[in-house]
Amino acid sequence: MSLLKTVGLRASYGQVDVLLGIDIDVSEGEMVVVLGANGAGKTTTMRAVSGTIARSGSVVFDGQEIVSQSAESIVRLGVAHVPQGRGTFSELTVEENLRIGAYIRKDSIESDIARWYETFPRLEERQNQRAGSLSGGEQQMLAIARALMSRPRLLLCDEPSLGLAPLVTQELFEVLKNLNEQDGLSVLLVEQNANLALKVASKVYLLETGQVVASGSAEAIAGDERIRKAYLGG
Amino acid sequence: MLKIKEGSLQHWAIRIVGFALLALLVIYIPTQSETARIGQFASAFTLIIAAMSLNMVLGFTGQISLGHSAFFGIGGYTAAILIRDHGWSPGYTFYAAAVIAFVVGCLIGLPVLRIRGAYLALVTLAVAVLFPTLLRWKKLEWLTDGAKGIDSVKYDDLPVWPILGELKGRDGRAVFSYWLGLLVLVIVYLVCRGLIRSRVGRSLIAIRDNETAAAVMGVNVTRTKVLIFGISASMCALAGVLATLNSGVVTPDGQFVTLLGSIIFLLIMVVGGAGTLSGPIIGGLVYVWLDNTTRGIGTDSSGVLGFVFGWTDQSPATLILGLALIVIMLFAPTGLMGLLRKLTRRIMTIIPRDISPTQ
Ligand SMILES: Nc1ncnc2c1ncn2[C@@H]1O[C@H](COP(=O)(O)OP(=O)(O)OP(=O)(O)O)[C@@H](O)[C@H]1O
Ligand SMILES: [Mg+2]
């Protein structure tokens, strides 16, 4: 069943049209990756889904049209956004960042905090430290853990590997894969590292200047000689 | 260097000793000082409250406001008008001023807080500039008495507080202002502290750090900003009420009712330490102390200072005050509170309580 479906999704910054009608479909429990060159509009697509930019067209989440809803109501429906460049709150401590991740929840969140500390032990060691004093990799872990605190059904993850050591990236993808396979979390992932992304994702969208130029299963895309040459670097 | 665990016996001992010293000082001042000194503290309290209110908006939420002098003025005029024209007892005017300023603050905040940075500074500056003009406006003269202002509270109108004994004349008025100011200050401080340490406080700091990320967490950014602006405005109005009760007059040229007031609140907040709960307290005390010590310089032309500043018959106080503030900011860019923290960290560190969740 389709959890997220965008049809003719458009967005612009001022006069400049950036998304020219994007159609993306994420099924329940699926991990979908969006690939594309710098400036293709990947981040803008994520922002258009999470409601942090003005957009038009159609975005249906769980059967509900959300294209005109505000960011704060879209989180409440179960969409969590890990923005590009992390966006952790640098003046708050690690723990406070996690708590604000659960801002929309009224129930007890202690067991969630414990769970993400278990997944990311480095965060537990630094729980009282200012988020701004964490390393890049730690901040990325925090950003993901913070997003998960809202118990989302769909996680939008924008270039989690940006600026991370290969080993740390590997770890992060392991975590995402586990979440997807064991908890049934649906993930829409933007990633530059195509080879890594193709390993974990089931479906791929290829973006170019605000349009989807190719899409299909990960195997099909990975096997397509022309696409490999043109977009995935050999 | 000492390492002390939060919540341990030593930590409590330090807290209790510190609190006791503070309490002694607070009682010592109004009982042992001369009237002028007591009055200076009373006016410091009003400035501290105003700076605290600005701190909620600028220090914690990251929204600049140069319009707080208007809220100060709203408080001052509300008190004056209600007491003089409607015979209210001074105590109740606090509530009225807080409510009016809250409503006005939200009404101004609603359109204004959608803009950011330098534009927000400009628009709130316009509010500060317009406010005194509004007070002088002919059509409002029936309410505000125009340029002349309002003489409101008479000395013998002061309510009697049994614990303080009988307060009479100028001395009694100063002592009364002191305790009333301190009471309001403590209440405002506790409200700020409660807000900052709550879920609301986290969302304020989140907005300051990264507005988009805060929205993605589910924080209603606009509503939160407008509400905190309203709350801040009503706190600032309380300071205005105090000022009117202290001096008995309020005019459109009053220092804190004009743009200068906003700048002074801003200075106190920044010198004390923006985004810290106690910063405005330190900033306010230092500001009033500097203001009073520099005010005399240059007027009597003896000694070195007289030699340096004797050439002008205008008091160089403002200049010296400005220079002193620049020096403070050079040595303590994060404010005096930041400096204080750095110094105490050399002597001891407080290790936070382990707050890892137990399931
Ligand atoms: N805040 C902004 N204001 C104006 N133009 C913007 C803004 N953000 C992005 N753009 C433009 O929109 C286009 C798409 O940007 P977007 O950030 O979506 O690309 P991207 O695919 O995420 O690229 P990258 O891989 O570099 O992150 C770019 O041409 C960019 O210049
Ligand atoms: Mg991007």
Side-chain angles (χ1 to χ4, degrees):
Chain A
M1 199 198 111
S2 161
L3 182 64
L4 176 81
K5 192 175 171 68
T6 74
V7 180
L9 181 59
R10 305 177 68 89
S12 53
Y13 294 102
Q15 302 291 324
V16 190
D17 290 329
V18 172
L19 299 186
L20 309 170
I22 301 265
D23 300 348
I24 280 179
D25 199 331
V26 180
S27 298
E28 188 101 54
E30 202 178 16
M31 171 109 93
V32 176
V33 67
V34 178
L35 300 174
N38 295 126
K42 307 180 295 295
T43 296
T44 311
T45 305
M46 303 291 251
R47 298 188 61 190
V49 172
S50 73
T52 45
I53 184 181
R55 67 272 187 224
S56 61
S58 165
V59 181
V60 175
F61 178 74
D62 195 23
Q64 195 177 341
E65 180 59 65
I66 59 168
V67 77
S68 51
Q69 295 219 26
S70 66
E72 65 266 14
S73 35
I74 291 176
V75 210
R76 288 183 166 74
L77 297 175
V79 180
H81 185 174
V82 182
Q84 185 170 2
R86 307 182 274 269
T88 44
F89 302 115
S90 52
E91 293 300 319
L92 294 176
T93 64
V94 168
E95 173 123 356
E96 286 169 331
N97 266 276
L98 293 180
R99 289 188 181 278
I100 204 166
Y103 188 81
I104 59 167
R105 286 174 52 192
K106 301 261 183 302
D107 53 336
S108 167
I109 60 171
E110 304 307 322
S111 64
D112 295 63
I113 294 182
R115 175 173 179 197
W116 303 124
Y117 278 161
E118 207 174 303
T119 313
F120 302 107
R122 258 182 282 187
L123 294 185
E124 180 163 26
E125 287 162 27
R126 288 161 178 71
Q127 53 180 302
N128 292 314
Q129 214 169 301
R130 275 179 52 243
S133 68
L134 298 182
S135 81
E138 290 159 354
Q139 287 189 30
Q140 191 66 62
M141 293 172 199
L142 178 59
I144 292 175
R146 184 185 65 177
L148 293 168
M149 286 298 295
S150 67
R151 294 209 176 155
R153 294 175 61 194
L154 173 67
L155 183 70
L156 307 173
C157 213
D158 197 344
E159 293 202 39
S161 67
L162 195 74
L164 299 192
L167 215 61
V168 182
T169 309
Q170 207 96 58
E171 260 176 57
L172 256 175
F173 271 72
E174 206 60 44
V175 170
L176 286 178
K177 200 172 162 199
N178 280 338
L179 282 167
N180 174 247
E181 283 171 1
Q182 282 157 28
D183 301 72
L185 177 74
S186 312
V187 181
L188 181 59
L189 179 73
V190 166
E191 187 48 58
Q192 294 284 359
N193 187 335
N195 289 322
L196 197 56
L198 287 172
K199 265 189 222 141
V200 293
S202 56
K203 195 155 73 181
V204 179
Y205 288 91
L206 202 59
L207 248 62
E208 198 183 298
T209 54
Q211 279 169 311
V212 176
V213 290
S215 65
S217 72
E219 296 90 47
I221 295 281
D224 189 317
E225 196 65 23
R226 274 182 321 161
I227 292 181
R228 278 200 84 89
K229 280 234 168 68
Y231 298 103
L232 310 180
Chain B
M1 195 180 69
L2 270 108
K3 281 201 166 140
I4 295 168
K5 266 216 165 76
E6 187 183 353
S8 67
L9 214 58
Q10 292 111 307
H11 189 219
W12 275 106
I14 292 175
R15 274 187 182 170
I16 290 170
V17 169
F19 192 78
L21 283 177
L22 193 67
L24 270 179
L25 190 68
V26 155
I27 296 172
Y28 175 83
I29 294 161
T31 46
Q32 305 296 324
S33 311
E34 48 196 287
T35 305
R37 170 68 31 91
I38 300 171
Q40 286 165 15
F41 272 95
S43 61
F45 293 157
T46 60
L47 290 180
I48 290 169
I49 294 167
M52 271 183 183
S53 76
L54 183 61
N55 199 22
M56 292 306 286
V57 168
L58 179 51
F60 287 107
T61 322
Q63 310 299 309
I64 190 162
S65 166
L66 292 175
H68 268 54
S69 55
F71 303 128
F72 193 95
I74 287 176
Y77 270 85
T78 304
I81 292 166
L82 288 177
I83 293 169
R84 187 196 61 173
D85 299 343
H86 302 273
W88 281 41
S89 126
Y92 292 108
T93 62
F94 283 104
Y95 302 101
V99 170
I100 293 172
F102 178 79
V103 173
V104 174
C106 289
L107 287 178
I108 293 177
L110 216 51
V112 158
L113 290 172
R114 289 174 193 276
I115 50 181
R116 287 178 208 181
Y119 298 102
L120 182 58
L122 275 179
V123 175
T124 52
L125 181 135
V127 170
V129 172
L130 280 176
F131 184 70
T133 322
L134 196 68
L135 293 173
R136 284 196 208 92
W137 193 25
K138 278 250 160 6
K139 297 201 169 155
L140 277 181
E141 228 162 56
W142 59 274
L143 190 66
T144 63
D145 274 14
K148 171 162 71 61
I150 299 175
D151 291 290
S152 52
V153 195
K154 302 282 178 324
Y155 285 104
D156 35 313
D157 286 349
L158 285 180
V160 182
W161 283 7
I163 9 165
L164 298 183
E166 204 175 352
L167 299 171
K168 273 209 182 121
R170 223 168 73 82
D171 296 348
R173 187 183 181 83
V175 172
F176 178 77
S177 300
Y178 178 94
W179 287 111
L180 184 64
L182 189 65
L183 178 70
V184 179
L185 172 59
V186 168
I187 292 172
V188 167
Y189 176 82
L190 290 177
V191 170
C192 289
R193 198 175 79 147
L195 276 172
I196 288 310
R197 297 197 173 169
S198 71
R199 179 166 168 271
V200 180
R202 273 199 295 276
S203 67
L204 296 180
I205 298 171
I207 289 174
R208 182 187 67 190
D209 271 4
N210 188 332
E211 223 169 88
T212 313
V216 169
M217 298 296 112
V219 177
N220 188 327
V221 174
T222 308
R223 192 175 64 194
T224 309
K225 277 194 209 167
V226 169
L227 273 179
I228 205 67
F229 200 72
I231 291 171
S232 165
S234 72
M235 286 175 177
C236 199
L238 297 182
V241 174
L242 280 174
T244 297
L245 296 182
N246 291 355
S247 67
V249 287
V250 54
T251 69
D253 327 296
Q255 173 166 225
F256 304 121
V257 175
T258 59
L259 178 62
L260 182 61
S262 292
I263 292 170
I264 291 172
F265 307 155
L266 184 71
L267 260 177
I268 291 174
M269 192 202 79
V270 174
V271 164
T276 63
L277 282 167
S278 310
I281 301 178
I282 303 177
L285 293 176
V286 167
Y287 174 84
V288 171
W289 176 73
L290 274 176
D291 190 30
N292 282 295
T293 31
T294 53
R295 193 171 287 169
I297 298 172
T299 41
D300 83 63
S301 341
S302 62
V304 184
L305 289 170
F307 175 73
V308 179
F309 293 106
W311 51 271
T312 162
D313 30 318
Q314 272 202 332
S315 161
T318 326
L319 177 73
I320 296 178
L321 183 65
L323 286 176
L325 293 172
I326 291 173
V327 170
I328 291 179
M329 288 322 291
L330 280 178
F331 282 100
T334 48
L336 291 170
M337 197 61 202
L339 190 69
L340 199 67
R341 276 190 188 158
K342 215 189 277 172
L343 290 179
T344 41
R345 221 173 290 145
R346 286 215 188 135
I347 307 168
M348 61 178 181
T349 43
I350 309 275
I351 303 161
R353 205 182 321 226
D354 187 23
I355 42 173
S356 71
T358 43
Q359 299 190 38

